[in-house]
Amino acid sequence: MERVCVTGALGFIGFHLCNRLLNEGIEVIAVDHLQKDRTLEEEEMELRMGRNAQYHLHKLTLDSLHTINDFNKIDAIFHIAANDQQLLKETTESELAMIEKMIKKLPANTRLIYVSSTEVYGDQEGEISESATLRPDTLLGKHKQKMEKSIAQFSMEQSVVCSIVRMPVVYGPWQPEHVEKVDYNRAIYISDAVNGLMLAAMKKKGNEVFHLPSFFDIDCSEQRPQSLEGSFLSTSKSENQLGYKPQVRVKEGLAKYNEHVKQWLKQCEFQKGSG
């Protein structure tokens, strides 16, 4: 890949993905519809990436993507932009319309990586593979299920190479506040999430679905019989076809996150003192 587009580029996952792409010398067309009331963290993320000449930020909504010069010359697009969960019921149809319009602008064989959620599986028992029946029981899960189905259909119609990546909760530096309320043992660290997305973008075969297992899932797959209560993600497809395995265990990941928080607070105090 030489030139890619990332929607939701200033979000948590988008920011880290853009940094990874830039570090590998890949030109990034970043798209994010910025809110008027921005946090210091969002401003800092924009500042850090804006220093790189390979980074081009477009403050646009998805339905304006066609206005970007040479949009049809990108190798891949990572669709990470997400709606406010409180507004999902009202925005699903509008997002689908924007996605269809976006895909129609892409030339054949462009790679499209859509970030979905393991919430599409709902409450199931035992080992869950990517081919499991989807039974979402949350607003987010139902939204992602609709988006997955439509994106796969639009991509096939336009001969776009689509990969859908279902993620558990992701944590790490710059994580959203709501992440602190989840079970970290079932989550994956941000660098593992980004690595999974990069591996999915390199798949030549399209119309595939992958999920990114956590260490919890790996441990369950190796040690726990399916007859026990609860569920865990199958690790075989992502490992065999993508070469994906998480690298950062929870203890290490939380240590990195806590160090980031400490350094960020120091920076904020310094800026206040010099302001």
Side-chain angles (χ1 to χ4, degrees):
M1 296 184 294
E2 296 183 1
R3 192 169 189 259
V4 305
C5 177
V6 178
T7 71
L10 293 181
F12 169 47
I13 296 175
F15 168 74
H16 287 277
L17 174 62
C18 287
N19 272 324
R20 168 75 178 271
L21 291 164
L22 292 169
N23 287 337
E24 295 195 8
I26 298 171
E27 184 179 2
V28 175
I29 308 301
V31 179
D32 208 311
H33 180 55
L34 303 181
Q35 302 297 323
K36 291 182 180 179
D37 298 325
R38 304 183 62 209
T39 65
L40 288 174
E41 288 86 352
E42 290 170 331
E43 292 176 354
E44 179 69 17
M45 287 189 283
E46 181 180 356
L47 178 64
R48 291 188 183 190
M49 291 190 292
R51 296 169 179 152
N52 194 310
Q54 290 282 84
Y55 178 79
H56 313 286
L57 177 62
H58 297 268
K59 301 177 183 181
L60 302 170
T61 55
L62 293 180
D63 57 351
S64 300
L65 279 176
H66 64 281
T67 64
I68 299 174
N69 292 333
D70 296 332
F71 180 68
N72 62 340
K73 294 182 180 179
I74 63 173
D75 301 309
I77 179 166
F78 294 86
H79 181 43
I80 305 175
N83 290 318
D84 188 323
Q85 291 196 41
Q86 299 299 320
L87 302 175
L88 285 181
K89 282 185 177 179
E90 293 80 11
T91 59
T92 297
E93 295 306 316
S94 62
E95 184 174 353
L96 283 173
M98 289 189 291
I99 289 294
E100 182 177 16
K101 188 174 181 180
M102 176 186 78
I103 292 176
K104 285 182 176 179
K105 295 290 180 181
L106 298 173
N109 299 318
T110 303
R111 301 182 186 282
L112 169 61
I113 301 87
Y114 176 62
V115 177
S116 186
S117 168
T118 54
E119 288 198 33
V120 297
Y121 296 121
D123 186 14
Q124 301 193 39
E125 295 290 322
E127 185 176 32
I128 300 175
S129 71
E130 286 87 344
S131 61
T133 301
L134 303 187
R135 301 170 183 166
D137 51 15
T138 65
L139 195 58
L140 176 62
K142 293 175 182 178
H143 171 77
K144 291 294 187 182
Q145 181 185 25
K146 288 183 179 179
M147 294 298 298
E148 283 188 19
K149 182 178 179 180
S150 296
I151 286 175
Q153 178 183 336
F154 298 153
S155 296
M156 289 184 67
E157 292 171 355
Q158 300 298 126
S159 299
V160 167
V161 182
C162 175
S163 290
I164 292 170
V165 181
R166 296 171 183 158
M167 294 189 182
V169 173
V170 182
Y171 73 100
W174 309 108
Q175 69 186 38
E177 291 183 2
H178 68 82
V179 174
E180 298 177 1
K181 302 174 184 178
V182 305
D183 180 3
Y184 281 99
N185 290 315
R186 291 176 176 261
I188 58 173
Y189 190 68
I190 183 62
S191 60
D192 286 331
V194 167
N195 188 49
L197 291 175
M198 295 288 286
L199 290 169
M202 290 185 275
K203 278 286 293 181
K204 294 182 179 180
K205 184 180 178 182
N207 303 314
E208 289 279 357
V209 177
F210 300 96
H211 53 220
L212 303 184
S214 65
F215 277 106
F216 171 86
D217 302 306
I218 289 177
D219 292 342
C220 284
S221 296
E222 294 176 349
Q223 304 169 12
R224 194 173 120 180
Q226 286 184 268
S227 59
L228 293 181
E229 293 183 358
S231 65
F232 57 96
L233 301 176
S234 170
T235 65
S236 58
K237 185 175 181 181
S238 57
E239 182 177 351
N240 295 333
Q241 295 192 31
L242 292 184
Y244 170 83
K245 271 190 175 181
Q247 301 296 315
V248 182
R249 286 195 175 269
V250 175
K251 184 177 180 180
E252 179 187 356
L254 288 177
K256 290 182 177 183
Y257 169 65
N258 290 329
E259 180 61 26
H260 159 78
V261 171
K262 186 194 306 182
Q263 293 301 320
W264 172 240
L265 290 175
K266 282 184 180 180
Q267 181 176 331
C268 290
E269 288 300 317
F270 176 79
Q271 289 175 341
K272 286 181 182 178
S274 60

